[in-house]
Amino acid sequence: MIFKISIIVIAVLFLYLYLFNKVKDRIHEKALKVRAALHLDDEETQDEKCDFLKGICQKKYIGEEHSWKPVYNLEHRMITTFNIPFVPEDNEIFYIENKYDKEANLFVQENIDLIKEVLATRGLTFVYLPDVSVSREMAEAMVAYYSASSEVAPLKNDDYKCGLRNDFLLDYMVYPESRPRVTHGFCWYNQPKSLFKGKKVWYIFDYITFDGAEARQHPREILEDMLPELGTKKIWRKGYHKEVKIESDGPADDNFDEESKKILKEIQEKLNAVRLKGISEAIIAQYVKPCPKLSRMTIGKDFTITLNDYDNRVITMEPVVKAVFILFLRHEEGIYFKDLADYQTELEIIYRAVKAKHNDIDEQMESGFTPQISNSVRSLTDPSSNSINEKCTRIKESFIQQFHDCIASNYYIQGMRASEKRIIIPRNLVIWEKEE
């Protein structure tokens, strides 16, 4: 009997190894084809290259699928960037190019009103980077917002009135060796891609190439041909467009980003006085040093939150919101939303301490005190509730009202779906004042 079982186990093992090698060889073969497509010999035409890539790049959408079969010479491509000096807007379409293309630029310049009109039918706005400019007042406000300082010297010249180069985004490519393959087209923000548990973020942009001369002859037709594809959100994997299902930690985790977007719309009007929207932010970023040294953060005995090196600026939050902030600040490793129930007692102790303005959290935790859980905390620790999303968004609001996101993002709770949510500020910058 034992001998028969051993034979079966060995047979299954050999079958597994055989299938594994077959799959590996198949993947390797496909990777070689993709690489070959990206490095075709000079004698092969660009059309052949494009046809090959279109064959392997199946376009599948996040959400409802639709087939896009352009009549004109259009192609959908991707750019991956890192550390871009502005906060991208979902509804902005802008023209990019690696090298100046006279026909394409003339098409944009001659038809800019038509482009804006057609894009507006889908709620999109068009930005031609060389034409973007800002007022001196707004420029100085933006410098203050980037530098986290209220003391900003007046700008000495009008450089800020100059627009951006059409290729400025390409300076931030993750793979600069791929830059020569970028042509020109209409570009938009797709999504962030988090690496290393949220500590590094790539920004994915999509763009559609077009023939400039052809576009000048048929401007409206070209625009309407590319319109169904503009602004679409795709997931790219190793040269492919794929629809990818991401595992979730429940409704609260599913709605983490969506709830933030919804609530942050309310904040947008407040921010307009101290920041610029979308791509125009990058103009100011050229003349200031974004993301200065992070400030120390002191949590006072009464839970006052002070950023010592940013003019001792105080960050205000409601008690229940501050309790969530303190909980995540205490757990540098991060917390899964699905596990929040495990922190219910700790959160209740923090909530009571914050309301009493008396920091005795550690003493209460060490003594094993088990308080009666309030409805507010019960709702926060329920993964099927959106309460935790709202509180996280209010925390984010408290910081981005004061600073540019390149600074603020170090202090508020963030994380990708199905991953730990955390506050990433180094804990050596956090000072806890204790009761004597």
Side-chain angles (χ1 to χ4, degrees), residues 327 331 335-348 365 373 377-378 380-383:
L327 174 68
H331 291 274
I335 300 174
Y336 285 96
F337 277 178
K338 66 180 181 180
D339 296 334
L340 276 170
D342 298 339
Y343 299 85
Q344 198 173 67
T345 298
E346 182 179 357
L347 183 56
E348 180 65 37
M365 293 293 293
I373 305 301
V377 170
R378 199 180 308 278
L380 282 169
T381 54
D382 180 359

Side-chain angles (χ1 to χ4, degrees), residues 138-379:
M138 189 62 79
E140 290 178 350
M142 194 64 214
V143 172
Y145 190 58
Y146 262 101
S147 60
S149 173
S150 57
E151 300 178 2
V152 177
L155 299 180
K156 297 180 179 179
N157 54 51
D158 291 340
D159 285 345
Y160 63 89
K161 291 184 178 179
C162 300
L164 296 169
R165 306 183 325 271
N166 283 324
D167 66 343
F168 99 100
L169 186 66
L170 307 185
D171 294 339
Y172 302 93
M173 290 180 68
V174 173
Y175 303 109
E177 64 274 13
S178 300
R179 181 166 180 162
R181 294 199 293 273
V182 177
T183 55
H184 64 268
F186 285 178
C187 183
W188 66 93
Y189 171 60
N190 185 330
Q191 60 179 321
K193 178 181 177 183
S194 182
L195 305 175
F196 308 117
K197 294 188 177 180
K199 295 186 178 180
K200 207 174 200 178
V201 177
W202 292 358
Y203 291 90
I204 297 175
F205 289 83
D206 286 21
Y207 72 103
I208 292 179
T209 65
F210 59 88
D211 183 280
E214 186 179 56
R216 291 185 71 193
Q217 293 177 7
H218 309 282
R220 182 175 288 275
E221 291 82 357
I222 288 284
L223 290 168
E224 291 177 348
D225 201 13
M226 68 171 70
L227 187 60
E229 195 79 349
L230 289 174
T232 55
K233 305 293 185 183
K234 302 177 184 295
I235 290 182
W236 298 74
R237 291 291 185 271
K238 298 186 183 299
Y240 294 85
H241 284 302
K242 276 192 178 180
E243 184 177 16
V244 177
K245 183 177 179 181
I246 302 174
E247 295 299 323
S248 117
D249 284 346
D253 188 62
D254 288 340
N255 296 331
F256 183 65
D257 291 327
E258 290 305 316
E259 189 72 14
S260 294
K261 288 179 182 178
K262 184 174 72 176
I263 297 176
L264 284 173
K265 285 182 180 179
E266 304 169 11
I267 307 167
Q268 198 69 49
E269 291 182 4
K270 303 176 187 177
L271 292 177
N272 284 341
V274 292
R275 71 181 289 265
L276 301 175
K277 289 184 67 178
I279 212 73
S280 51
E281 230 174 270
I283 296 176
I284 307 304
Q286 295 182 116
Y287 305 108
V288 298
K289 182 181 179 181
C291 305
K293 182 180 178 181
L294 294 178
S295 170
R296 293 165 296 157
M297 180 169 63
T298 296
I299 310 299
K301 298 175 184 178
D302 60 353
F303 294 99
T304 299
I305 303 169
T306 306
L307 297 180
N308 309 68
D309 304 311
Y310 296 156
D311 303 329
N312 286 317
R313 205 167 301 187
V314 175
I315 306 298
T316 58
M317 302 176 193
E318 296 177 359
V320 68
V321 176
K322 188 177 288 187
V324 173
F325 177 75
I326 297 297
L327 174 68
F328 278 83
L329 196 62
R330 284 169 57 90
H331 291 274
E332 186 175 7
E333 74 283 2
I335 300 174
Y336 285 96
F337 277 178
K338 66 180 181 180
D339 296 334
L340 276 170
D342 298 339
Y343 299 85
Q344 198 173 67
T345 298
E346 182 179 357
L347 183 56
E348 180 65 37
I349 290 173
I350 294 171
Y351 181 38
R352 294 184 178 203
V354 169
K355 288 199 297 183
K357 297 185 177 181
H358 178 70
N359 190 352
D360 60 351
I361 298 171
D362 290 336
E363 291 84 347
Q364 297 276 18
M365 293 293 293
E366 289 171 5
S367 69
F369 175 63
T370 306
Q372 182 176 352
I373 305 301
S374 63
N375 289 334
S376 295
V377 170
R378 199 180 308 278
S379 176

